[in-house]
Amino acid sequence: MVSNNQLFHLFLFLCFFQITCLHAQLCTQEQTSALLQFKQQFSFDKYASYYFCDSVEILSYPKMESWKEGSDCCSWDGVECDNNTSQVIGLDLSCSWLNGTIHPNSTIFYYFPHLQSLNLAFNHFGLSRISSEFIRFTRLTHLNLSASFFSGKVPIEVSFLSKLVSLDLSLNDLRLEEPGFELLVQNLTKVRELNLRDVNISSVVSNSLLNLTSLTLLDLSLCGLRGKFPDGIFHLPHLNELIIWDNLALTGYFPEFINSSSSLQYLVLSRTNFSGELPDSIGNLKSLKTLVASYCEFYGSIPTSLGNLTEMTSLTRLDLSFCGLSGKFPDGIFHLPHLNDLRIDFNFALTGYFPEFINSSSPFQYLDLSHTNFSGELPDSIGNLKSLKMLFAYYCKFYGSIPTSLGNLTEMTNLGIAYNNFTGMLPSSLLNLTKLVELDLSNNQLRGRLPSQIIGLPNLTSLGLGDNLIDGTIPSWVFSLPALYYFNISYNKLTGHVKEFKSTLLAIVDLSNNNLHGRFPSSTFKLVNLNSLILSSNNFSGDLDMLCHAIFLQILVLSSNSFNGSIPQCLGNFSIYLFVLDLRKNNFSGTIPDTFAKENSFETINLDSNGFEGPVPKSLENCKWLQVLDLGHNMFSDKFPYWLENLTSLQVLILRSNKFHGPIPNSKFKFPFPNLRIMDLSNNYFTGPLPRKYFKNLNAMMNVDEASFELQYLGMPGYSLYYYNDCLTIVIKGSTTEMVKVLTIFTAIDFSKNNFEGQIPQIIGKLNSIQGLNLSHNSLTGHIPASLANSTMLEWLDLSSNKLTGEIPQQLRNLKFLEVLNLSRNQLVGPIPQGNQFDTFLNGSYIDNLALCGPPLLNACNPRTPQPPPLMFQQEDNTSSGFTWEVILPGYICGLVWGLVMGYFIFSRRKPQWLVRIIEGERNKSGKRFKKHSHRNRAR
Ligand SMILES: *[C@@H]1O[C@H](CO)[C@@H](O)[C@H](O)[C@H]1NC(C)=O
Ligand SMILES: *[C@@H]1O[C@H](CO)[C@@H](O)[C@H](O)[C@H]1NC(C)=O
Ligand SMILES: *[C@@H]1O[C@H](CO)[C@@H](O)[C@H](O)[C@H]1NC(C)=O
Ligand SMILES: *[C@@H]1O[C@H](CO)[C@@H](O)[C@H](O)[C@H]1NC(C)=O
Ligand SMILES: *[C@@H]1O[C@H](CO)[C@@H](O)[C@H](O)[C@H]1NC(C)=O
Ligand SMILES: *[C@@H]1O[C@H](CO)[C@@H](O)[C@H](O)[C@H]1NC(C)=O
């Protein structure tokens, strides 16, 4: 029997034998000390390898630390020697915490002429250059310098390493200057793996690539390549991975015929200028696992061969989003055995249906059909997609009820099927998906009550149910959701009370346009993250006492409710973020605190239709970003707040229906109100002459270039989490209109119902871009200035109920867009201008004057006046009896233009899958006032 001791000795002996066998000759002293000197050049710092190694989950540790004098360097970690000669032939120091630089005099270059493989990836070489001494490694077959903080020009010497089989220079700050890339490609004829991702090449792509017949991997992403990519690449016999995303100026096509012997597995072309149609022979790529061709310029339909079950057996990921593809989506794709990630969103003309039957072995995890023409019903068998984690079908044309079986998909984290035509009730099964993070069913036609009992949604951060027909009360589980961040249930038919929200993460709440009532829990203001609170058009009551807790609040919209009390003193100085304060149509009262601090962000302050009183706070002059100030329909009592003249951002000033009084003082500023486009002072007690200086200097109402007019609306800031649209009550063409979106080209002046006196200054004609002018119900005298004919954009002009004399200037016929004219109740005489828009006005426009004549009035003018041409439109007689604005038919051009402009809404909504991407869409459902917007934070 052998003892344990003997066994141990035998073991030791064997070990020794093994080692001496493997390393018959020890590593030379020369190479040992050269390696130790090389080690001296670095410090070891975890963070030198941290970002990359950790993110790809490679174990990183300081390999060199175990290198010690006196031991055989061939046994060192990361060192590989030739078994026969003991020459060091390989060095693998990837993820080794190296922090330092490799100087040209480094021992590494001088003692290792046999080196075949050098891997320094994932270290930190301090943005130093790659030394040209690399040329000394003449036998190098593998060189990896990936993600190791090299910078500058790749030395030309690298292209002399013609034995290279694998070269990876990716993810540094390197550039290959011409003709570097060409030389590299021409000389490295043996190369199998070439990874130059993020190396700035910025040149035309080289056809010599086609000579690299051994290529298995080619990664030229983010290289700034231009020109036409040689489609012969697709025919390289061994190519496995072709990855060339993000070369925006790189054009190319799929070759018309792709050989079935192709071994391509990964094909990534996104964000290039690849175009043309996808060929049918794409089905020959039998080994294809990943095809990512998003953000390209392809067109035509998706070849059915991509859905061929016998061919596409390996495909796991297919991304053709943002491509402009059309036609019918090949059903087969849904049945591919390994496809788990399918994204075809933003192919607006792509039609398709969800397959009626989905196999329960389907591996789908991620499915995005948004912004396509997909329609039909979601089948019950959708519940078979057991692995599904994310399903997005925003802005499609799906209808029918939401299948209860969706509730079987227990892995689901994100479900976004907003902007479809789903009907029926919200299936309560959905709320059993305990992993849900985001649920967006908004903008459908879901009706009925929300389920009252649920198991619990501990991770739900985003709940979008807005714009449906949901009624009943908001069940209490909603208020208890622990991780809720975004909650939108606006535009439904909900009733009842709102409870305290439990989630301390809550940032955005939109409950607008429901029938909710009762005190709104003011504790909500205490939530530390609260960013946007939209409660408009409900019947909430309560006060703002707690407002000052909401220090990150950006948007507060309480309009059309029954809130009361006064505005807390803190208003102007508690928050530097608040930029929308909309309290319209409530029962607020008291004075506005005069505490607006120098650093504030206010863009909109809308206090219209409340019971506010007292003066306009002087400190409003600190609101240098203020665009809209609406104080209308209150009991403010003050002189004209001339100190606002210097607010260079102010576009809308509404003081309508208050107790403002006195004359408008002569402006102290050279350019008062430089951006004012809407000025409504009507129904106050202003006196004195009209403010000539304003007419002369309101630049925003002059020379507006309509050609450069892109539809832009007030209140599109683009840097808040949520979107606010200014809503104003404006008298347009004589009728009070709620303007939901205020076009930034809309311009109007309304000074009516005051006691202004004196003449209308000729200078008013300088406001040549003004669309509406109402000076009615004052005591204005003198003539109608002919200069008004310069204001060619005028759509309505009301000078009625004044003491104007003289004739109507014939030049007013130039006002081609004039749709509404009221000159009644003055002392005008003479012939009414004929032709153009004047043919559309009725009696009401002229009644109660001294001696006007000609059509549409019955009394003819002096016979020497030439007869006007016949009326273009004969109006029914009964419509012209008794004057109201409503009976005046729109002019023949502008009603349409106006209607279009009013009806044209552009919305660009962001999916609430936060920070992931931007979804844009178009809708023209009026009455929408808010939208989520860019994630960019408000930065100034
Ligand atoms: C590298 O070392 C320098 C000091 O020698 C240090 O300032 C730097 O933070 C280190 N870099 C990394 C990435 O560890
Ligand atoms: C050296 O020998 C070992 C063990 O026999 C073998 O695994 C290794 O591939 C050899 N290395 C070279 C470079 O020949
Ligand atoms: C190598 O070069 C660097 C920089 O040029 C220098 O700081 C260093 O002293 C040199 N080392 C030796 C051993 O010459
Ligand atoms: C290509 O490599 C050879 C050595 O094989 C070298 O002599 C030649 O200069 C290289 N040419 C270029 C353009 O890099
Ligand atoms: C490919 O290589 C051959 C010779 O090896 C050469 O004649 C030809 O010009 C090369 N083609 C390209 C496109 O560089
Ligand atoms: C799938 O491809 C095979 C050839 O690879 C072909 O015979 C078959 O008709 C194709 N099936 C469909 C449905 O296109």
Side-chain angles (χ1 to χ4, degrees):
M1 247 189 99
V2 255
S3 71
N4 274 352
N5 208 11
Q6 279 171 308
L7 261 184
F8 180 69
H9 278 107
L10 179 68
F11 176 72
L12 272 189
F13 172 75
L14 283 174
C15 287
F16 180 74
F17 179 76
Q18 181 100 3
I19 289 166
T20 47
C21 264
L22 288 181
H23 303 283
Q25 291 159 287
L26 292 179
C27 170
T28 65
Q29 187 52 44
E30 212 178 32
Q31 292 196 333
T32 306
S33 52
L35 283 175
L36 287 171
Q37 270 191 46
F38 184 55
K39 175 183 172 183
Q40 293 303 312
Q41 294 165 17
F42 303 104
S43 60
F44 303 106
D45 189 334
K46 178 175 178 209
Y47 293 101
S49 297
Y50 190 72
Y51 299 105
F52 289 106
C53 302
D54 276 40
S55 67
V56 294
E57 292 179 356
I58 299 176
L59 179 68
S60 80
Y61 63 98
K63 286 181 186 168
M64 271 178 161
E65 260 184 4
S66 64
W67 295 8
K68 296 271 156 56
E69 202 148 6
S71 57
D72 176 15
C73 80
C74 291
S75 68
W76 290 351
D77 198 357
V79 181
E80 191 194 356
C81 294
D82 183 287
N83 287 343
N84 303 319
T85 65
S86 280
Q87 290 283 340
V88 173
I89 55 169
L91 264 182
D92 179 357
L93 295 172
S94 57
C95 289
S96 298
W97 300 19
L98 304 190
N99 179 16
T101 53
I102 304 179
H103 294 296
N105 60 13
S106 168
T107 53
I108 189 84
F109 296 118
Y110 299 94
Y111 296 93
F112 304 95
H114 297 278
L115 203 63
Q116 292 167 20
S117 169
L118 178 60
N119 187 348
L120 299 173
F122 310 119
N123 288 294
H124 201 302
F125 296 108
L127 294 177
S128 62
R129 273 147 209 272
I130 296 177
S131 166
S132 53
E133 300 297 333
F134 270 90
I135 194 180
R136 293 172 183 274
F137 300 127
T138 51
R139 302 187 188 194
L140 213 54
T141 56
H142 293 76
L143 178 58
N144 189 348
L145 303 179
S146 173
S148 43
F149 293 88
F150 281 108
S151 73
K153 194 176 155 222
V154 176
I156 198 131
E157 283 78 3
V158 170
S159 55
F160 298 164
L161 303 173
S162 54
K163 292 205 165 69
L164 276 180
V165 164
S166 170
L167 175 63
D168 189 344
L169 302 176
S170 63
L171 304 171
N172 285 289
D173 185 16
L174 293 169
R175 59 177 197 278
L176 254 174
E177 282 172 6
E178 279 186 83
F181 182 55
E182 188 70 30
L183 288 182
L184 202 68
V185 170
Q186 275 176 11
N187 225 26
L188 305 189
T189 50
K190 299 200 170 73
V191 76
R192 295 202 286 259
E193 295 173 355
L194 182 59
N195 188 346
L196 300 178
R197 178 182 296 192
D198 209 10
V199 174
N200 183 355
I201 297 176
S202 293
S203 73
V204 173
V205 66
S206 162
N207 268 330
S208 317
L209 277 174
L210 294 178
N211 267 355
L212 304 180
T213 49
S214 308
L215 270 183
T216 61
L217 177 153
L218 180 61
D219 189 338
L220 297 173
S221 309
L222 292 155
C223 286
L225 290 171
R226 300 189 303 266
K228 185 175 172 304
F229 195 74
D231 59 5
I233 292 277
F234 288 91
H235 301 309
L236 291 181
H238 307 292
L239 195 62
N240 260 318
E241 304 185 31
L242 177 59
I243 302 176
I244 49 176
W245 51 270
D246 221 322
N247 287 287
L248 293 173
L250 188 64
T251 61
Y253 302 92
F254 266 99
E256 234 169 84
F257 186 71
I258 297 175
N259 204 303
S260 59
S261 65
S262 163
S263 51
L264 261 184
Q265 295 188 357
Y266 298 93
L267 184 51
V268 183
L269 309 171
S270 41
R271 291 184 191 277
T272 60
N273 225 340
F274 264 68
S275 64
E277 301 198 41
L278 301 174
D280 240 354
S281 61
I282 202 167
N284 286 341
L285 298 173
K286 290 200 172 56
S287 316
L288 202 61
K289 289 186 169 141
T290 293
L291 172 58
V292 177
S294 54
Y295 296 93
C296 290
E297 302 291 324
F298 293 116
Y299 50 81
S301 53
I302 300 176
T304 47
S305 61
L306 257 183
N308 188 320
L309 293 175
T310 53
E311 291 181 319
M312 289 290 133
T313 49
S314 312
L315 199 63
T316 59
R317 178 170 176 208
L318 178 61
D319 183 349
L320 298 173
S321 53
F322 291 89
C323 267
L325 295 165
S326 56
K328 183 169 175 320
F329 184 76
D331 269 356
I333 292 181
F334 280 105
H335 301 296
L336 294 180
H338 293 113
L339 191 63
N340 64 41
D341 185 341
L342 173 63
R343 306 176 195 211
I344 48 171
D345 47 314
F346 285 91
N347 289 291
F348 296 102
L350 189 64
T351 59
Y353 301 92
F354 226 89
E356 235 170 83
F357 187 71
I358 295 170
N359 202 302
S360 59
S361 62
S362 169
F364 274 114
Q365 294 185 0
Y366 191 105
L367 198 50
D368 195 341
L369 312 173
S370 305
H371 293 267
T372 61
N373 228 338
F374 264 70
S375 64
E377 302 196 35
L378 293 182
D380 267 341
S381 62
I382 198 169
N384 285 340
L385 297 172
K386 286 282 186 324
S387 312
L388 199 63
K389 291 181 173 155
M390 301 191 191
L391 171 62
F392 297 116
Y394 289 87
Y395 291 95
C396 291
K397 301 208 164 69
F398 287 111
Y399 52 81
S401 52
I402 297 176
T404 313
S405 60
L406 270 179
N408 300 343
L409 308 183
T410 49
E411 294 301 309
M412 186 88 87
T413 58
N414 298 68
L415 176 62
I417 50 177
Y419 294 92
N420 281 286
N421 292 311
F422 288 112
T423 50
M425 306 248 295
L426 168 68
S428 55
S429 62
L430 276 189
L431 302 170
N432 297 338
L433 298 174
T434 50
K435 291 188 180 165
L436 267 189
V437 172
E438 173 191 357
L439 178 63
D440 193 349
L441 307 176
S442 53
N443 295 73
N444 280 292
Q445 288 150 42
L446 301 177
R447 51 178 75 242
R449 293 166 162 259
L450 293 176
S452 56
Q453 294 290 322
I454 62 153
I455 293 176
L457 295 165
N459 304 311
L460 193 69
T461 60
S462 171
L463 178 58
L465 298 171
D467 238 309
N468 278 292
L469 303 163
I470 300 169
D471 55 28
T473 55
I474 305 178
S476 49
W477 59 262
V478 170
F479 303 106
S480 309
L481 291 169
L484 198 63
Y485 174 91
Y486 167 78
F487 178 47
N488 185 346
I489 199 160
S490 61
Y491 292 90
N492 277 290
K493 299 169 158 187
L494 291 157
T495 53
H497 294 247
V498 166
K499 300 206 176 78
E500 240 175 75
F501 287 93
K502 292 272 154 51
S503 167
T504 53
L505 302 172
L506 198 68
I508 298 171
V509 181
D510 190 345
L511 307 179
S512 60
N513 292 276
N514 280 291
N515 298 315
L516 298 165
H517 67 269
R519 282 186 74 85
F520 184 77
S522 58
S523 59
T524 310
F525 289 119
K526 282 189 163 174
L527 296 172
V528 288
N529 285 319
L530 191 68
N531 172 283
S532 303
L533 182 61
I534 325 285
L535 304 178
S536 44
S537 298
N538 279 290
N539 202 11
F540 286 119
S541 53
D543 54 45
L544 293 180
D545 289 353
M546 303 267 252
L547 178 64
C548 307
H549 292 279
I551 47 175
F552 293 117
L553 195 62
Q554 289 192 316
I555 298 180
L556 179 62
V557 182
L558 306 181
S559 56
S560 300
N561 277 289
S562 304
F563 286 100
N564 55 18
S566 56
I567 295 183
Q569 280 296 316
C570 69
L571 176 73
N573 58 9
F574 83 104
S575 163
I576 54 167
Y577 301 107
L578 191 63
F579 72 100
V580 173
L581 177 69
D582 184 348
L583 306 180
R584 302 167 71 229
K585 298 192 175 173
N586 277 287
N587 304 324
F588 288 109
S589 56
T591 56
I592 311 300
D594 195 5
T595 53
F596 290 89
K598 278 243 154 27
E599 287 302 320
N600 72 56
S601 303
F602 284 105
E603 283 180 11
T604 293
I605 297 179
N606 195 330
L607 307 179
D608 176 86
S609 300
N610 278 287
F612 290 115
E613 57 192 17
V616 178
K618 193 86 178 12
S619 58
L620 273 176
E621 70 186 350
N622 291 332
C623 302
K624 57 174 181 256
W625 306 112
L626 195 62
Q627 294 183 9
V628 175
L629 179 62
D630 187 346
L631 306 178
H633 303 96
N634 278 288
M635 295 181 295
F636 287 107
S637 170
D638 202 348
K639 299 222 160 82
F640 181 76
Y642 58 89
W643 59 89
L644 301 175
E645 284 175 353
N646 206 21
L647 293 180
T648 51
S649 304
L650 195 65
Q651 300 186 38
V652 177
L653 176 63
I654 298 181
L655 305 179
R656 167 178 282 266
S657 297
N658 277 287
K659 298 185 202 158
F660 288 98
H661 49 83
I664 296 180
N666 210 348
S667 175
K668 289 199 288 275
F669 295 102
K670 186 148 186 233
F671 297 108
F673 295 121
N675 268 306
L676 203 64
R677 300 181 299 100
I678 298 177
M679 188 177 197
D680 185 347
L681 310 184
S682 67
N683 206 9
N684 278 291
Y685 303 97
F686 288 116
T687 54
L690 292 171
R692 268 183 64 101
K693 185 143 184 198
Y694 291 167
F695 296 155
K696 204 171 148 195
N697 289 304
L698 292 172
N699 273 315
M701 303 191 202
M702 300 174 196
N703 306 319
V704 175
D705 180 7
E706 267 212 275
S708 72
F709 134 61
E710 292 167 34
L711 285 175
Q712 266 192 344
Y713 301 95
L714 266 181
M716 268 198 171
Y719 37 67
S720 68
L721 288 173
Y722 210 60
Y723 179 67
Y724 171 79
N725 259 326
D726 278 299
C727 181
L728 301 173
T729 306
I730 296 175
V731 179
I732 295 175
K733 300 168 194 171
S735 48
T736 306
T737 308
E738 289 237 319
M739 269 189 102
V740 165
K741 283 177 166 266
V742 186
L743 278 171
T744 53
I745 54 149
F746 179 75
T747 55
I749 285 181
D750 192 340
F751 287 180
S752 64
K753 299 187 179 149
N754 279 288
N755 223 340
F756 287 112
E757 57 201 19
Q759 304 201 347
I760 302 174
Q762 280 285 344
I763 198 96
I764 202 164
K766 269 196 90 178
L767 304 178
N768 56 6
S769 300
I770 196 170
Q771 286 165 296
L773 178 62
N774 188 346
L775 302 176
S776 68
H777 296 90
N778 280 293
S779 306
L780 300 172
T781 52
H783 294 215
I784 298 174
S787 64
L788 268 178
N790 297 336
S791 302
T792 49
M793 306 309 295
L794 263 185
E795 292 175 31
W796 70 97
L797 175 62
D798 188 348
L799 304 176
S800 65
S801 301
N802 277 294
K803 300 172 185 161
L804 298 171
T805 53
E807 296 193 358
I808 303 174
Q810 293 293 324
Q811 295 91 324
L812 294 191
R813 293 174 60 210
N814 291 345
L815 299 177
K816 298 236 163 56
F817 295 110
L818 195 62
E819 200 183 315
V820 171
L821 175 70
N822 192 350
L823 304 177
S824 65
R825 299 190 177 90
N826 277 293
Q827 292 151 33
L828 299 169
V829 296
I832 291 172
Q834 301 296 319
N836 292 343
Q837 291 297 93
F838 275 85
D839 290 347
T840 66
F841 307 130
L842 305 183
N843 287 3
S845 299
Y846 308 109
I847 54 167
D848 282 343
N849 273 289
L850 263 187
L852 285 173
C853 63
L857 299 181
L858 292 177
N859 49 323
C861 296
N862 163 340
R864 265 167 301 167
T865 321
Q867 273 299 321
L871 283 181
M872 289 187 70
F873 299 121
Q874 272 322 151
Q875 308 292 354
E876 293 289 319
D877 264 344
N878 53 0
T879 59
S880 53
S881 61
F883 177 79
T884 63
W885 284 110
E886 282 69 26
V887 299
I888 296 196
L889 294 179
Y892 50 87
I893 303 171
C894 215
L896 184 62
V897 176
W898 185 246
L900 263 183
V901 172
M902 291 288 285
Y904 192 169
F905 299 96
I906 290 185
F907 282 82
S908 58
R909 271 202 172 230
R910 216 180 62 76
K911 284 187 189 184
Q913 194 198 356
W914 303 107
L915 313 187
V916 179
R917 55 205 180 133
I918 295 176
I919 298 297
E920 279 163 5
E922 223 178 83
R923 63 193 313 246
N924 52 13
K925 198 167 172 183
S926 62
K928 298 307 296 180
R929 299 175 35 190
F930 307 101
K931 64 176 198 156
K932 289 200 278 174
H933 204 59
S934 153
H935 59 266
R936 276 177 294 157
N937 275 317
R938 185 171 164 75
R940 275 198 181 121

